[in-house]
Amino acid sequence: MNGLLVILGVALFVGMLFAGMFWYAVRSGQFDDMDDPPRRMLKD
Amino acid sequence: MALFPPITPSVADTCRAASPARCPHCGTAVEGETDAYCCSGCMAAADIIRGAGLERYYAEREAFPARPTPLDGAWTALTTEPQADGTVAARLIIDGLRCASCVWLTEQVLARMPGVAEATVSYASGRALLRWDPARTTLAALAGRIAALGYQPRPLGVEPHTDRTLLLRLGLAAIAAVAVMGLYEGLYAGWWYGAIDARMATLFRWVSLALATPVAFWCAAPFFAGATAGLRQRVLSMDLPIALGIIVLWVHGLASTLQNRDGYLDSLTMLVALLLVGRVLEARGRRRAADAATALVATVPRTARRSTPLGIERVPTELLRVGDTIDVGSGEEFAADGIVTEGTGQVRMSLITGEAEPVPVAPGDQVVAGSVLLDGALTVEVRATGGETVLQRMADELQRAADTGVRASGVDRIAPWFTVVTLVVAGITFAGWLAFRGLDAAVASTVAVLVVACPCALALAQPLAGAAGLGAAARRGLLFRSTQALLDLNDITVIALDKTGTVTAGEMTVVAADDAALRIAAGLERFSSHPIARAIVAEATRREIPLPRATGVHELAGVGVQGDLDGRRWSLTTGGAGSVCLQDGTAARSFIRLGDALRADAAGTVAALHATGRRVLLLTGDHGRIAEQVATGTGIREIISEADPRTKSSVILRLQQEGERVLFAGDGINDGLALSVADVGVAMGSGAASSVLIADAVISSAALAPLLAGFRAARAAGDAIRINLRFSLGYNVVAILAAAAGLVNPLVAAILMPLSSAVVIWGAARVETRVRREEMA
C-alpha cells in the first residue's frame, strides 16, 4: 500500500517535470518552426 | 543523374561536338572544346565559392543554379531591427534556391563575411534571418553577395509569432489526459477484481480531479470564449455544445469525487486534448498559407534613375517628386506616372490593363507606374508618385472593396439543432428515470446523455478533413485562405480565366525561330540583360543549343545589337511588331518571332476541367483575334474579349444571376474587382500584389495545373467531411439513445469517445491518398 503511494507520488512528480520541460520548450520558441530542423539535420 | 542531356541532331551538325562544353557554374552549354564560363556573373560566383573554400558545393549539388543577375532595388533604404547586443537583424526570402546545397552554400558564404553574427536560411521555406554588426557591413552588401551567387533576395517584414499558447494548452491537456486515463483505468479494473483499497481509490479520484480541473478551466478556455462570443452575436457555433459538455463533465466529476464514486474525468481530459489537436492542425495549416502569400508579395523597394544638373543618381522611388526627370531603360519598370519627354520605346501594361500587346510610346505620351518598358530608352517627367499613381489608387480601391465577412461553416449550422435536441432528450431521460427509479438513477442517466452527446467527433470532422484538404492543395501549388474557400470549389460550375499572365506566361518568349538563326542571335545577346535578349538566350538554352561567343558586340538602345560571329558581321534589329530580324548585310534575313506564349500545362488543364463537367470561359481585355488564337490553342470554347474590369465583373454577376457559381482566375490589378465578385477568386502568385492579398486562393507556381489539383482536393475533402459528419451524427444518436436507456457508464464513454474520434481522423487521413489516386488515373 505504501509502495503504491510512493509510486503514485513519483509518477506525478515525473509528469510535472515533463510538463515543465514542455512549457519551457514552447516558451523559448523551439516549436515555432517544425519544418526546417528535420531537413537541416539531413544536410549535415 | 542526367545533367548532360543529348543535343538535337540539327544543331549537332552545326557545332560538330559530341557532347557540349558547359559553364562550370550554371551548366549552360557553350561552344568550344573546353568548359568555359558563360558570363562574367558565373565567373564571379565561382570565384566567391573558391575563395571561401566551399568547392564541396560543386561536388554535392543536385541542380544547376541560375546565372547571376545584378542586384537591384533600394536596399540601403530598408529599415532593420536593432537587437539587444548592438547588432541589427533583417529577414529576407531568397528565390532561386534549387537544392539543399544552394541553401548550405548561401549560409556558409554569408557567415564568412566580416561582421556577420548570424546567417540562417530555412531549407523548408527559403526564408533567411541575418544578423550583423552595422559598423562592419550593410544589408546592401549582404544582399549583393547573395545576388552574386545567383539567388534573388527580397525583404520580409516582421513575422507574427506562432500561437504558442494554443500549443501549450494542447501539451498540458495531453499530459493530464494520459495521467488521468491511467488512474481511471486502475479504478475501472477495480470494478471486476473488486479488491481495490478504498483509500487508494479515493486518492486516485482526488488526484484525477486535481489534474482535470486546470484542463477544464484553462486548456479548454478557447471553447468557452468561442461559445460566449457566439452567444453574444447570436451565432451558435459548435463551441456551445462543447462548452456545455465540459461544464457537465467537470461538475459531475467534482460531485462524484466528493461522494467517492467514479466520474467521467478521463473522458473530460481526453475530449479537451483531442479537440485541441484539431485546433492546432487547423491553425497551422492556415498560417502556412498566409506565410506563403506574404512571401509571394514581398518586393524590394524600387529605385529610379533621376537626372539632376549634377548627373544621374539612383534614388528610392519614395524620394521622387512631381517635376523630377527620370531615365528608364529596357526591361525596367516605371517608378511613377509621367509624360515622355525624350526617346521612344515599347511599353507593356498588362498588369494594369490586361493587354499583352506592347504599346509604342513617343514624346508627349503618358506612361503609368507599374508598366514595363520592353524596348527603348526614355526620359520621363514625373507627374504623380507614390499613393497618387493610378496603380496605387486602383490597389487602394481594391482593398476597400474586399469583403471580409465571415461565413458560418456547415458544421456550425447543425450546432443549434444539436444543442436543442440534446437538452430535450436529457430532459425526457431525467423525467423518465425519476418517475421509475428515483433521483440517483435519473441523475446518472441524464449525465450520461449529456456526456455522450458531447460532439467530439462531430467537432473534429470538419477541421481535420479541412486541414488535410488544404495541405493536399498547398503541396500541389494552390494556397487557400480558409477551409470554406476550399469547400466552395465543389459548388463551382463555371471557370472564368483571364488571359495574360494566367493562361499565358505573361512574359516575352520566343514563339518561332529556326535553330541556326537562334544560335547566332543567342551569341550576340549572350551577355545582355535586355528582356528580348533573355528570351532568346532562354529559348536557345531550352533547345540545348550551345551558346557561341560573338566578338565586337555593340548594343544600341532602341535599335538592336551588332556583332561578329563565324566570320560575318550580324545585326539583330526590331523587325515589326513582335519580331526581331537577323541579317548579315546581304539580302538574307531571318525573323525570330516573340510573343506571349501559352503556359505549357494550359491545354491539359482546360481539357481536364472540361472533363469534370464544368464550363471554361476566357475573359480578357485583349482583342478578339488574339483571344481566339488563345482559345483554339487551349481548347476553351467560350470567349469574351475586349472586356475592361467593369465588364469582367458584370459578366460574372450575370452568370451568378443565371444560377451559376463562378471561379475567376487572374493576375493583374485590373482583375481585382472580378476576383472579389466571383464565388471563388484565384490570383496568380506572380501577379499584382493586391490581387494576391485579396484573393480566396493563390497559385504559387507559374502554372495552371494547381487549379485542377484544387478541385480534386476540394472533392476529396468535401466527401471526407460529409462521410465524417454522417458517421459522427449517427454515432451520437445511437450513443444518446443508449445513454437514455441507462446503458452508458464512465467506462463505456471512455471507450466510445476515442473510437469515434479515431474513425474521423482516419477519414481525414484518406484525403491525401484519394487525391493521389485521382492524379494517377
Side-chain angles (χ1 to χ4, degrees):
Chain A
M1 167 60 188
N2 285 332
L4 276 171
L5 264 175
V6 173
I7 289 175
L8 185 60
V10 170
L12 282 175
F13 174 70
V14 171
M16 294 296 157
L17 207 61
F18 273 103
M21 291 197 291
F22 180 69
W23 185 284
Y24 167 72
V26 172
R27 279 269 180 248
S28 66
Q30 295 185 23
F31 285 95
D32 283 350
D33 184 358
M34 307 270 273
D35 304 311
D36 198 49
R39 291 179 214 215
R40 193 172 283 276
M41 248 189 277
L42 281 178
K43 184 55 200 166
D44 197 333
Chain B
M1 257 193 314
L3 289 180
F4 295 94
I7 338 171
T8 56
S10 65
V11 180
D13 298 337
T14 325
C15 69
R16 275 180 236 126
S19 114
R22 291 186 176 265
C23 171
H25 185 75
C26 69
T28 318
V30 293
E31 280 191 358
E33 298 288 304
T34 53
D35 292 345
Y37 292 109
C38 66
C39 60
S40 50
C42 285
M43 197 177 336
D47 280 343
I48 295 174
I49 294 172
R50 264 199 306 272
L54 299 167
E55 291 89 352
R56 182 178 149 189
Y57 164 71
Y58 288 117
E60 287 179 0
R61 66 176 173 183
E62 290 144 25
F64 284 119
R67 305 164 99 193
T69 49
L71 180 72
D72 85 308
W75 286 90
T76 46
L78 285 175
T79 48
T80 50
E81 305 160 33
Q83 307 290 297
D85 58 356
T87 56
V88 296
R91 264 167 256 265
L92 307 174
I93 183 157
I94 303 180
D95 293 331
L97 296 167
R98 292 185 182 167
C99 66
S101 295
C102 291
V103 176
W104 175 83
L105 180 71
T106 311
E107 277 188 345
Q108 295 296 315
V109 167
L110 285 174
R112 280 156 216 253
M113 288 178 73
V116 172
E118 180 187 341
T120 318
V121 182
S122 160
Y123 285 79
S125 63
R127 285 168 140 82
L129 175 63
L130 304 175
R131 219 159 40 82
W132 66 96
D133 178 1
R136 297 179 66 193
T137 187
T138 61
L139 181 58
L142 298 174
R145 186 49 63 96
I146 296 175
L149 288 173
Y151 312 116
Q152 297 85 44
R154 287 178 293 144
L156 278 179
V158 181
E159 314 212 290
H161 261 311
T162 48
D163 192 352
R164 289 178 179 168
T165 322
L166 191 62
L167 201 55
L168 273 177
R169 288 190 222 265
L170 169 60
L172 296 182
I175 292 177
V178 166
V180 172
M181 280 197 276
L183 290 171
Y184 259 73
E185 192 181 326
L187 291 170
Y188 293 144
W191 291 8
W192 279 272
Y193 297 102
I196 189 169
D197 189 270
R199 286 176 299 165
M200 189 59 74
T202 314
L203 180 62
F204 279 12
R205 292 186 192 115
W206 277 98
V207 171
S208 300
L209 182 66
L211 288 173
T213 304
V215 171
F217 285 95
W218 186 70
C219 298
F223 301 104
F224 291 111
T228 45
L231 280 174
R232 244 182 279 136
Q233 291 173 13
R234 307 260 190 289
V235 173
L236 292 180
S237 67
M238 214 30 128
D239 286 344
L240 185 60
I242 292 174
L244 283 176
I246 295 175
I247 293 175
V248 166
L249 282 166
W250 185 78
V251 168
H252 179 260
L254 177 65
S256 316
T257 309
L258 285 170
Q259 294 171 349
N260 249 329
R261 279 180 313 171
D262 295 335
Y264 288 91
L265 290 171
D266 54 341
S267 297
L268 175 104
T269 49
M270 193 193 327
L271 169 76
V272 173
L274 281 175
L275 290 173
L276 285 174
V277 167
R279 288 247 167 152
V280 165
L281 286 178
E282 201 178 17
R284 189 172 301 168
R286 253 179 313 169
R287 196 171 64 88
R288 267 206 203 126
D291 280 353
T294 22
L296 283 171
V297 300
T299 45
V300 188
R302 303 242 144 253
T303 54
R305 283 177 293 134
R306 177 164 64 185
S307 48
T308 63
L310 301 165
I312 297 193
E313 54 169 358
R314 203 169 253 282
V315 296
T317 48
E318 290 77 47
L319 298 180
L320 287 177
R321 295 282 166 266
V322 175
D324 283 344
T325 315
I326 55 174
D327 274 4
V328 185
S330 302
E332 292 181 1
E333 194 179 295
F334 288 93
D337 294 352
I339 298 195
V340 179
T341 56
E342 277 173 47
T344 56
Q346 308 256 338
V347 174
R348 186 183 77 213
M349 304 178 71
S350 53
L351 218 58
I352 300 188
T353 61
E355 292 201 19
E357 290 281 283
V359 176
V361 292
D365 289 336
Q366 275 189 315
V367 289
V368 290
S371 43
V372 176
L373 181 63
L374 293 170
D375 183 24
L378 304 177
T379 312
V380 175
E381 185 190 317
V382 174
R383 283 300 166 90
T385 61
E388 300 303 308
T389 60
V390 169
L391 185 82
Q392 196 54 46
R393 275 191 279 141
M394 284 171 87
D396 288 344
E397 204 183 291
L398 268 186
Q399 284 296 131
R400 274 196 296 268
D403 178 32
T404 51
V406 179
R407 278 175 293 185
S409 60
V411 170
D412 287 336
R413 270 175 279 176
I414 306 178
W417 286 104
F418 198 79
T419 320
V420 165
V421 168
T422 309
L423 289 174
V424 164
V425 171
I428 295 176
T429 311
F430 188 76
W433 283 90
L434 190 62
F436 288 108
R437 290 287 168 86
L439 188 61
D440 272 356
V443 168
S445 308
T446 313
V447 168
V449 166
L450 291 172
V451 164
V452 294
C454 196
C456 181
L458 203 57
L460 278 178
Q462 178 139 336
L464 287 187
L470 290 180
R475 273 187 290 275
R476 289 161 178 84
L478 186 56
L479 306 165
F480 283 92
R481 168 166 293 194
S482 65
T483 314
Q484 195 54 46
L486 171 75
L487 296 174
D488 280 345
L489 275 188
N490 286 326
D491 300 328
I492 296 291
T493 54
V494 175
I495 299 159
L497 298 173
D498 175 45
K499 181 188 81 75
T500 314
T502 309
V503 176
T504 65
E507 309 178 312
M508 203 184 298
T509 48
V510 172
V511 172
D514 67 81
D515 282 354
L518 194 63
R519 175 182 159 271
I520 296 169
L524 293 174
E525 300 272 42
R526 187 162 151 182
F527 300 120
S528 169
S529 54
H530 193 286
I532 293 179
R534 275 185 284 179
I536 289 176
V537 171
E539 178 67 11
T541 318
R542 198 188 65 82
R543 297 191 194 182
E544 279 137 30
I545 300 173
L547 302 180
R549 184 182 275 275
T551 49
V553 174
H554 189 54
E555 194 172 336
L556 288 159
V559 177
V561 63
Q562 287 183 331
D564 296 313
L565 189 60
D566 293 345
R568 285 188 275 179
R569 185 148 188 89
W570 300 90
S571 70
L572 190 68
T573 53
T574 339
S579 63
V580 287
C581 173
L582 181 70
Q583 26 187 162
D584 67 348
T586 66
R589 53 177 67 184
S590 184
F591 285 92
I592 296 176
R593 258 197 310 130
L594 301 154
D596 195 9
L598 290 177
R599 289 198 194 277
D601 58 359
T605 309
V606 170
L609 288 173
H610 275 137
T612 65
R614 298 179 165 98
R615 284 164 63 184
V616 180
L617 161 69
L618 186 68
L619 193 53
T620 173
D622 251 330
H623 302 304
R625 190 180 40 87
I626 299 176
E628 270 177 40
Q629 277 176 355
V630 167
T632 339
T634 53
I636 300 176
R637 295 175 218 135
E638 296 178 56
I639 311 167
I640 296 185
S641 55
E642 289 168 53
D644 63 10
R646 213 127 307 201
T647 315
K648 285 187 187 179
S649 34
S650 57
V651 165
I652 296 177
L653 284 168
R654 191 172 37 88
L655 285 167
Q656 285 171 334
Q657 274 163 0
E658 290 169 12
E660 312 273 9
R661 303 296 286 272
V662 183
L663 176 147
F664 177 75
D667 78 322
I669 294 211
N670 64 319
D671 293 328
L673 204 54
L675 282 173
S676 324
V677 162
D679 294 288
V680 175
V682 178
M684 301 299 291
S686 49
S690 358
S691 301
V692 169
L693 291 173
I694 65 163
D696 298 310
V698 177
I699 295 182
S700 58
S701 51
L704 209 52
L707 210 54
L708 189 62
F711 279 104
R712 288 191 180 127
R715 167 102 296 133
D719 285 350
I721 290 178
R722 230 173 351 110
I723 296 176
N724 278 352
L725 281 181
R726 269 190 215 149
F727 164 78
S728 351
L729 264 179
Y731 151 78
N732 269 119
V733 166
V734 168
I736 289 178
L737 289 177
L743 295 169
V744 171
N745 55 42
L747 176 57
V748 173
I751 296 175
L752 283 181
M753 189 173 300
L755 265 183
S756 61
S757 304
V759 171
V760 165
I761 291 172
W762 178 75
R766 282 183 58 234
V767 167
E768 170 69 27
T769 322
R770 197 175 138 183
V771 175
R772 237 178 260 177
R773 211 180 322 136
E774 262 183 63
E775 285 177 343
M776 306 291 186

